Amino acid sequence: MRLAATCQTVQILLSLLAILALAAFAWALGFHASPRLDEAGAMAEASAVLPGFRAQSAVLAENGRGALVQAEDGSLAAVLPLADGWVVRRLPARGAVQPVEAGLRLRLDEPMLRSTILRIPSPHPDWLEGHFA
Amino acid sequence: MTLPDPVTYAIPLFVLAIVLEMLLVRKRRTGRYDWRDAGVSLTLGLGSTVAGLLSGGAILAIMLGASRFALLEIPFAWWTFMLCFMLDDLAYYAFHRSAHRVRWFWASHVVHHSSQHYNLSTALRQTWTGFFSASFLFRLPLILIGLPVEMVFFVGGLNLVYQFWIHTEQIDRMPRWFESVMNTPSHHRVHHGVNPRYLDRNYAGVFILWDRLFGTFEPERSEDRPRYGIVKNLPVLNPLWAAFHEWAAIARDLRGARSLRDAAGYVLQPPGWRPDSSHDTADAIRARWSAEQGEMKA
């Protein structure tokens, strides 16, 4: 019984080492990109992910690491960076965007994503200021 | 008869195949890997193995207990292995369809779909809460028919091993005869796609025949390349959150439920169901998308 438990512990430790080795190998092969968006890419991402969202305009965060996108109907979506990809969220109609010193604070009210800051410099486009809290 | 666990023997091959796939992705520029995503997938795979070790004894005891009520005594023979493999794959189809259509089972299965990548490491992104969700019950009919418990576990392992290689973008299409009978990378890419037309399609484990038979088959289209993940992708790369987020969401919804009917809906209806009919279920998303397509054509 004790031998079996020891074997299983060793197997788990070896598996952990293998995970670290594979992740390191992936990193060494160059799979650690942090891509940047342009306006067309941000609009395409929001339109592709959110059913019914027809992107009209976008404003990019510094270095293209995120964006806010407005749809034809005036609704707003955030494109947020996650590893080598993006996570897209619809924002509430009013009060979800607040200018702060570092950029714009987005209130998302989700577990693990209560709020986040996109480094979008001012001046902001008129369509975006209409969404400010 | 004592049979080995095929998954244990396959693990070194899994590792080699992942290394090979990474090299191919780099060389061909087809497919995607990210070291953080792959790390989370592999960690979830290890966690699933540990969860399996902890719950394996209980599942075995339940299966052995059920075998006392078996209708027949089916012997070990080549043809019974074949029969068991087919029936187990049918049971897998039933489980997998339920895992997408009933939120209770989805809460466990969502882990496997929580990556926005589709590669061999995604295959190992497995649940930690399979025992809690009682998904093993889908194999119980096989035991009650009279198939030996060891055989059911063995073919279940083979089924899992088969499903590893189909999690890749490195293989476009297999020969036509193979695509029509077997589950393939192309069919399974559709299953992992969140494009409206692909949602809740291609539940097969080994034989795609089940989807063709039960009306859930959707072919992969070159003009609509699958986007992978879940309808609302996770905002963090955290294995713990990936493993438990849907259970946490169920708990939150149950706390806010206004009636027993709503509470039952939150647990037993499809993922995305809401009591006020503002659903984001796969069916609702597909219906809205179909309507939009119709408008655009008109």
Side-chain angles (χ1 to χ4, degrees):
Chain A
M1 193 77 175
R2 182 177 285 182
L3 182 66
T6 307
C7 283
Q8 282 173 354
T9 307
V10 170
Q11 275 179 358
I12 290 167
L13 289 173
L14 286 175
S15 300
L16 274 172
L17 281 176
I19 290 170
L20 288 173
L22 281 172
F25 185 62
W27 191 91
L29 285 177
F31 300 130
H32 54 261
S34 295
R36 295 169 182 193
L37 287 167
D38 56 21
E39 288 186 10
M43 289 195 287
E45 186 70 23
S47 299
V49 171
L50 302 173
F53 189 93
R54 295 184 186 174
Q56 187 176 50
S57 347
V59 57
L60 300 177
E62 277 178 12
N63 299 325
R65 292 293 289 155
L68 285 174
V69 183
Q70 182 178 242
E72 288 171 2
D73 63 2
S75 61
L76 202 61
V79 183
L80 306 171
L82 179 73
D84 67 341
W86 310 99
V87 168
V88 181
R89 291 289 191 269
R90 282 183 197 275
L91 293 173
R94 294 264 163 235
V97 186
Q98 182 190 7
V100 292
E101 198 175 329
L104 296 178
R105 182 190 299 280
L106 313 181
R107 185 168 54 77
L108 292 139
D109 286 341
E110 290 181 31
M112 309 302 277
L113 192 58
R114 293 278 169 218
S115 70
T116 188
I117 290 178
L118 272 186
R119 294 183 173 278
I120 295 177
S122 46
H124 304 113
D126 292 344
W127 61 261
L128 181 55
E129 289 190 357
H131 290 276
F132 286 173
Chain B
M1 182 183 247
T2 306
L3 294 167
D5 175 13
V7 179
T8 307
Y9 287 93
I11 285 173
L13 293 177
F14 290 170
V15 173
L16 280 176
I18 287 172
V19 169
L20 179 66
E21 190 192 37
M22 283 183 188
L23 293 169
L24 280 175
V25 169
R26 186 179 148 92
K27 187 179 173 193
R28 296 167 150 186
R29 307 276 172 205
T30 301
R32 264 173 81 200
Y33 259 100
D34 178 81
W35 72 283
R36 295 151 287 200
D37 174 84
V40 171
S41 291
L42 297 170
T43 305
L44 283 161
L46 176 60
S48 175
T49 306
V50 174
L53 287 173
L54 295 174
S55 61
I59 293 174
L60 182 63
I62 291 167
M63 293 299 195
L64 287 172
S67 70
R68 294 169 55 197
F69 303 97
L71 294 173
L72 305 166
E73 196 170 322
I74 299 175
F76 280 93
W78 70 266
W79 64 270
T80 56
F81 268 98
M82 303 282 275
L83 177 71
C84 187
F85 191 77
M86 286 295 287
L87 290 177
D88 178 71
D89 197 47
L90 177 59
Y92 179 83
Y93 174 88
F95 150 72
H96 198 190
R97 190 164 171 172
S98 306
H100 281 261
R101 306 294 295 175
V102 178
R103 195 182 179 197
W104 176 263
F105 296 119
W106 172 247
S108 168
H109 182 62
V110 62
V111 175
H112 180 60
H113 287 268
S114 61
S115 172
Q116 294 189 52
H117 294 71
Y118 188 78
N119 53 48
L120 292 176
S121 77
T122 315
L124 304 182
R125 185 179 277 244
Q126 294 290 337
T127 183
W128 296 4
T129 55
F131 179 68
F132 177 69
S133 68
S135 52
F136 60 90
L137 292 178
F138 285 86
R139 286 209 165 97
L140 215 50
L142 277 67
I143 305 295
L144 292 173
I145 291 170
L147 287 161
V149 173
E150 302 90 327
M151 192 188 285
V152 171
F153 274 94
F154 178 71
V155 300
L158 289 181
N159 193 304
L160 204 63
V161 171
Y162 179 87
Q163 291 189 47
F164 173 75
W165 76 279
I166 59 178
H167 290 84
T168 186
E169 293 187 290
Q170 299 309 307
I171 297 169
D172 182 23
R173 297 285 199 283
M174 299 296 287
R176 186 176 288 183
W177 69 268
F178 197 86
E179 292 279 344
S180 57
V181 179
M182 307 297 287
N183 199 7
T184 64
S186 174
H187 298 329
H188 206 58
R189 284 194 290 269
V190 164
H191 177 68
H192 277 255
V194 287
N195 317 38
R197 86 163 83 236
Y198 294 153
L199 286 171
D200 284 4
R201 293 289 183 261
N202 297 5
Y203 298 114
V206 173
F207 299 109
I208 199 68
L209 290 171
W210 307 122
D211 284 291
R212 295 185 191 278
L213 192 63
F214 297 121
T216 49
F217 177 71
E218 182 69 38
E220 185 181 30
R221 295 169 190 239
S222 53
E223 75 277 12
D224 194 13
R225 300 299 298 171
R227 283 178 292 102
Y228 306 110
I230 50 181
V231 168
K232 192 173 184 181
N233 282 307
L234 299 182
V236 287
L237 292 162
N238 178 333
L240 285 171
W241 189 240
F244 297 112
H245 74 275
E246 190 65 18
W247 293 112
I250 289 179
R252 267 198 317 279
D253 286 341
L254 286 178
R255 271 202 307 274
R258 291 179 181 174
S259 67
L260 206 58
R261 188 183 165 279
D262 288 1
Y266 280 131
V267 175
L268 300 174
Q269 289 283 348
W273 178 90
R274 282 191 283 270
D276 61 2
S277 76
S278 64
H279 305 314
D280 260 334
T281 60
D283 291 341
I285 291 169
R286 194 183 350 263
R288 287 200 293 268
W289 171 78
S290 293
E292 266 178 45
Q293 297 296 305
E295 279 172 25
M296 283 165 75
K297 275 181 189 161

